[in-house]
Amino acid sequence: MKKNNIYKILLTIFTCLMILALIILFSWYKENKKNQEIVDNVKKYININNDENNEEKEDKNNEEKKYLDKKILEENQYTVGWIKIEGTKIDYPVVKYTDNEYYLKHDFNNNLNSAGWIFMDYKNNFNDQNIVLYGHHRKDGSMFGSLKMLFDDEFYKDHKNEILFIKENEIIRYSIFSVYKVVNTDSYNSTNFVSLEEMVEEFKNRSSIHFDFDVLDVSQIITLSTCDYNNSYRLVVHGYKKLS
């Protein structure tokens, strides 16, 4: 009799866990699907197809090129640009709020969503030495889930080691120079440093892949950060912009 009761209890627990797992899985799928729909909708605001770093090609009418339509601000007033990395799923508008918490749990349309969105550090401005972006590490590769692809040196044989940050009138090209894992208490995400040159050298030495470049040729860096190992570590990618 006792064995039957134990069996029924275990069966009930197992059934409840299965139902809970299915609910979580469905919610996860629904959130990711919603975010992809958002991206598909706002891609109409971006136009970089005609720009392949051909600086010699100037508009005949001498008009300034528009890469990101400012009408995207009507969709989300906190939009500050767009990030794109060839060969990955990273192809998103970037937002910036008054803190670093809001977009951990809200999507681009400002609806609750555990997938969050790609956002810039609230302390940042574009004159800082280090532009810092955050995003969740989603298992399907969305948000910054595909950032892990940049930790495989085989990736760079078929793709550029380049991070594009697209603004209304400018495409900023950052060359990837460092990829590594670090505890989340590290200060890699400071927006400015006492010496940019020294920090670039330090980040270069941390990298699990060697990138050949001159630290003296750096005017600014971009940092992409996402969680790893149950939030104990961060996957960090740095790119640099060359001096003009």
Side-chain angles (χ1 to χ4, degrees):
M1 191 70 178
K2 288 183 177 180
K3 287 185 178 180
N4 287 336
N5 289 336
I6 292 174
Y7 174 78
K8 289 180 180 179
I9 292 172
L10 291 175
L11 182 60
T12 300
I13 293 173
F14 177 77
T15 302
C16 290
L17 290 174
M18 284 294 295
I19 293 173
L20 179 62
L22 288 172
I23 291 173
I24 293 173
L25 184 62
F26 177 75
S27 176
W28 181 84
Y29 169 79
K30 187 177 179 181
E31 289 177 333
N32 289 346
K33 185 174 183 293
K34 178 61 178 177
N35 278 345
Q36 187 56 54
E37 290 173 353
I38 292 173
V39 172
D40 291 341
N41 177 58
V42 298
K43 275 189 175 180
K44 61 190 176 187
Y45 296 115
I46 188 171
N47 179 25
I48 61 171
N49 295 329
N50 296 325
D51 183 88
E52 293 296 335
N53 207 23
N54 295 326
E55 296 179 359
E56 71 279 4
K57 291 184 178 181
E58 296 183 358
D59 193 305
K60 292 180 179 179
N61 297 321
N62 211 21
E63 294 179 356
E64 196 169 22
K65 291 182 179 179
K66 304 289 185 183
Y67 300 111
L68 184 61
D69 194 327
K70 62 182 179 181
K71 287 183 179 180
I72 196 172
L73 296 173
E74 296 174 7
E75 303 281 347
N76 187 317
Q77 63 178 318
Y78 301 113
T79 306
V80 292
W82 193 291
I83 184 173
K84 182 177 178 65
I85 303 178
E86 179 188 275
T88 74
K89 289 187 176 183
I90 300 172
D91 191 6
Y92 298 103
V94 178
V95 289
K96 175 186 167 186
Y97 197 59
T98 55
D99 58 48
N100 286 342
E101 302 296 326
Y102 183 81
Y103 280 108
L104 290 174
K105 297 181 180 179
H106 291 82
D107 62 26
F108 185 75
N109 290 340
N110 295 310
N111 295 316
L112 281 173
N113 189 319
S114 66
W117 205 259
I118 305 302
F119 63 96
M120 181 185 291
D121 195 298
Y122 78 99
K123 300 183 298 296
N124 252 150
N125 66 66
F126 286 106
N127 293 321
D128 289 333
Q129 295 173 336
N130 186 17
I131 305 301
V132 185
L133 306 184
Y134 305 98
H136 283 309
H137 189 169
R138 301 291 281 184
K139 291 183 179 180
D140 69 335
S142 62
M143 296 302 127
F144 274 171
S146 59
L147 207 60
K148 60 186 177 183
M149 297 174 65
L150 305 180
F151 285 70
D152 184 356
D153 56 3
E154 293 294 318
F155 176 87
Y156 302 96
K157 293 181 179 179
D158 299 316
H159 305 96
K160 296 178 181 178
N161 64 324
E162 189 173 68
I163 300 167
L164 300 185
F165 193 93
I166 302 142
K167 299 167 69 177
E168 182 184 357
N169 302 317
E170 180 183 16
I171 298 179
I172 307 174
R173 298 173 182 273
Y174 296 93
S175 299
I176 297 169
F177 72 91
S178 182
V179 296
Y180 58 89
K181 297 178 181 180
V182 68
V183 294
N184 59 14
T185 55
D186 191 85
S187 59
Y188 67 91
N189 57 352
S190 297
T191 56
N192 287 288
F193 311 105
V194 174
S195 171
L196 176 61
E197 180 184 333
E198 289 181 5
M199 289 309 301
V200 170
E201 184 69 40
E202 179 178 328
F203 294 152
K204 178 182 179 181
N205 293 334
R206 289 184 184 186
S207 183
S208 59
I209 299 176
H210 175 70
F211 296 92
D212 188 21
F213 73 104
D214 187 350
V215 296
L216 297 177
D217 195 28
V218 177
S219 64
Q220 185 185 62
I221 66 174
I222 191 170
T223 297
L224 313 184
S225 173
T226 192
C227 58
D228 195 27
Y229 295 115
N230 296 320
N231 215 31
S232 299
Y233 289 84
R234 294 289 185 270
L235 298 182
V236 180
V237 173
H238 295 294
Y240 74 92
K241 183 174 74 169
K242 291 184 178 181
L243 290 168
S244 301

